[in-house]
Each structure stands twice: as structure tokens, then as C-alpha cells.
Amino acid sequence: MTQTKEGIILKSIGGFYYVEASDTVYECKARGSFRKKGIKPVAGDKVQITVPDSGYCALEEVYPRKNSIIRPPLANIDTLVIVVSTCDPTPNTFVIDKMTACAVQKGIEPVIVISKSDLSTADKLKEIYSLSKIKTIEYSSIDNRGVEEIKSLLNGKVTAFIGNTGVGKSTLLNALFPNLNLETGEISVKLGRGRHTTRSVELFKSEWGYVADTPGFSTVDLERYEVIEKDDLKYAFPEFEDYLDKCRFSTCSHTCEKGCSVVEALQKGKISPSRHQSYVAMYNEVKDLKKWEQ
């Protein structure tokens, strides 16, 4: 007798897919039809499997994704937590804005977590993002300030964390999910691997939902593999939303034109100058790109 179950892919190793369904993890092989259709199942995919009385379980169907990222390969992300530090390394707002834009464009909620606030003030970053409609949380590893607020945003969701080396991402993950046993320095004891030795992605289930262990996941990955077209870029800045249909010209790029409602909001202090500068820089990067070049 064969049972049909629905579940979520936690990880893939050597052609096998590990699917959680009905509180059990099943080792599955994918049907050959996936390869013919050009479908590559990834962690986070919601799938249908068949479970026989004996032999291997089979991955039968991958349900439509609400979003996905290429590197690291991960699907159906609800929240992207962008960890930045007040100092050492110094935060780069242009890079942060690229990350938030990529998330918004894919229907992922971006959350900015500012670490090391015990070493240097987070006031400047908080001011920049206070008008952005993007949730910004101050976190301290000294007294775990901000941990409970972060947890409340992750409940029942699939969450990926991104942050460059030294920002305190692993320390934060330990505070949020102690059962993951992640050591600082980006080394996972549970998976037995060191820094940047693999690109494998694995979802772990906790009382707060699923967290994606994405080794080596840094801002470089999203910058390199996720490009937003110029016509879509304005929608990736949530604070622009109230002004986009009020410009004098329908072809407005929202960079410097007269009669641009976004520029007027900027001049009135309703949009952060830093955020608009990032938008203009990103627009100039992609304005001349053809679709086949992206």
C-alpha cells in the first residue's frame, strides 16, 4: 500500500531529498520527469510525495513557489533577516538597500537587525530606515535586547538570515534558536562543516517556525544573482508607494525629474535621502541593461 503525503523539503544531498510530512522526515528520490521539465527541487519547496510500504519514497510533485532565490537555492521564504552591525564592519547602506529591495521585489518581508549597539550607537541607521516601512530592530548580544521582538516576527514562517562575516549573525541565531548549536565564526557543529565549505542549504524546524541554515550566505550572493529591472525597481522601495501615481509624467524615473512626486516627498523629508540615493544608484546600474544581459 502506498500513501500520498504533502510536506516541505528540508534539504537535498546526493540526489536524495529529505521531506518533512506529518511530523516525519522521509528520504525521497525525485521522479525523472523533474529533470525533463527542468525543475530542480530545493529546500523550502512544498511538495507531494508517495510513501510505499517498502523501498524508497518518491518525490512526485513540486507545488508552485511564491518566491525563490538562486544562490543559495531556497524557495518559499517568508522573511529575510538582514543582520548589520553598527561598527566593525561598518554598515554599507547601499548594500543594505539592495538586500531589502531584492526581498520586497520577491514578496519576502525584509527585517533589518542592527547588532553591536552596545559598541556604537544605532541612531543613524534607525533614522535612515524610520521612514522606509521596513521593520528595524536593535539587538544586543550582551543582554539579548531585541530577541523576543525578532521571535515574534518569525512565528510559523520560513526565515533566512543574511549578513557578512563579523556582523554577529551566528550569535543572533544562537540566541534565537539554541537547538541549532551554531558556533560563532559561521561553523555549524550540527552539520559538521566549516566556514564556506559547502553551499548546501538546510531548513531546521523550531518552535518559532523554520530557519534556513545557509552557509556563506552573504550580500554578494543576492547582488550577483538577483537583478531587479528598472521598471520594477520603484516598487521595491515601500516608502515610494504613496507617491508613484502622482507624478506629472507617466514615464517618470523618480530620480530627478521636475513634477516627480517621489522627489517632492524627498524634499519635504518624507523619504530618507540615503534611501533615495540608493534607489538612484541602483536605477543607473540597470537602466541600460537588456533582458538577456540580466
Side-chain angles (χ1 to χ4, degrees):
M1 179 179 176
T2 299
Q3 301 180 62
T4 299
K5 295 178 179 288
E6 294 182 338
I8 183 172
I9 296 178
L10 300 181
K11 64 179 177 179
S12 63
I13 299 176
F16 288 93
Y17 298 88
Y18 296 84
V19 177
E20 182 193 62
S22 304
D23 295 322
T24 302
V25 177
Y26 297 92
E27 185 180 64
C28 306
K29 285 187 174 181
R31 295 292 188 190
S33 58
F34 287 114
R35 190 177 297 107
K36 294 177 183 177
K37 295 177 182 178
I39 299 174
K40 184 174 177 57
V42 299
D45 270 327
K46 295 178 180 178
V47 297
Q48 183 186 90
I49 64 172
T50 51
V51 182
D53 289 334
S54 61
Y56 284 110
C57 303
L59 186 60
E60 302 285 351
E61 182 179 356
V62 175
Y63 294 136
R65 299 165 175 166
K66 66 178 182 180
N67 59 54
S68 64
I69 55 177
I70 298 171
R71 181 72 63 85
L74 185 62
N76 299 315
I77 310 163
D78 296 305
T79 308
L80 179 66
V81 176
I82 304 163
V83 185
V84 300
S85 56
T86 59
C87 59
D88 192 26
T90 302
N92 184 322
T93 53
F94 179 54
V95 173
I96 296 171
D97 294 336
K98 276 195 168 186
M99 302 305 102
T100 61
C102 286
V104 172
Q105 196 265 341
K106 289 178 174 291
I108 303 169
E109 180 186 8
V111 175
I112 299 173
V113 172
I114 306 172
S115 66
K116 301 186 181 180
S117 58
D118 51 300
L119 299 179
S120 181
T121 178
D123 291 349
K124 185 176 180 179
L125 283 173
K126 290 170 69 176
E127 181 182 357
I128 289 173
Y129 293 98
S130 63
L131 300 173
S132 69
K133 299 185 180 182
I134 296 169
K135 187 72 175 179
T136 303
I137 300 172
E138 195 173 334
Y139 160 69
S140 171
S141 61
I142 304 299
D143 57 10
N144 278 344
R145 183 173 69 255
V147 168
E148 293 304 316
E149 186 178 1
I150 298 168
K151 282 182 178 180
S152 69
L153 299 175
L154 311 183
N155 198 17
K157 299 177 180 178
V158 175
T159 304
F161 289 74
I162 185 171
N164 289 338
T165 301
V167 297
K169 183 177 68 173
S170 294
T171 302
L172 173 60
L173 283 169
N174 275 330
L176 291 168
F177 310 100
N179 60 308
L180 291 189
N181 295 320
L182 289 172
E183 287 189 350
T184 55
E186 307 292 337
I187 298 177
S188 171
V189 174
K190 188 160 190 165
L191 299 183
R193 64 186 177 219
R195 179 184 299 170
H196 301 273
T197 58
T198 178
R199 306 302 297 182
S200 177
V201 178
E202 181 169 0
L203 291 186
F204 288 103
K205 189 175 184 179
S206 77
E207 60 180 315
W208 299 100
Y210 294 95
V211 57
D213 185 17
T214 51
F217 185 18
S218 71
T219 56
V220 174
D221 292 312
L222 285 188
E223 286 187 77
R224 182 179 301 169
Y225 296 101
E226 309 294 344
V227 177
I228 304 174
E229 295 181 15
K230 67 175 183 179
D231 292 335
D232 296 329
L233 185 60
K234 56 183 177 287
Y235 301 114
F237 284 73
E239 63 268 50
F240 290 7
E241 183 180 358
D242 295 336
Y243 312 105
L244 293 178
D245 60 349
K246 299 175 182 177
C247 296
R248 181 183 302 174
F249 304 106
S250 60
T251 57
C252 185
S253 69
H254 315 294
T255 56
C256 61
E257 296 92 332
K258 289 184 177 180
C260 172
S261 186
V262 171
V263 172
E264 289 176 1
L266 170 68
Q267 294 169 344
K268 293 177 181 178
K270 296 180 179 180
I271 291 175
S272 163
S274 174
R275 290 275 292 169
H276 188 258
Q277 289 167 12
S278 291
Y279 168 79
V280 173
M282 291 173 66
Y283 184 88
N284 288 332
E285 283 183 349
V286 299
K287 67 179 181 180
D288 297 323
L289 283 181
K290 310 299 182 187
K291 284 185 177 292
W292 58 269
E293 294 179 308
Q294 299 178 11

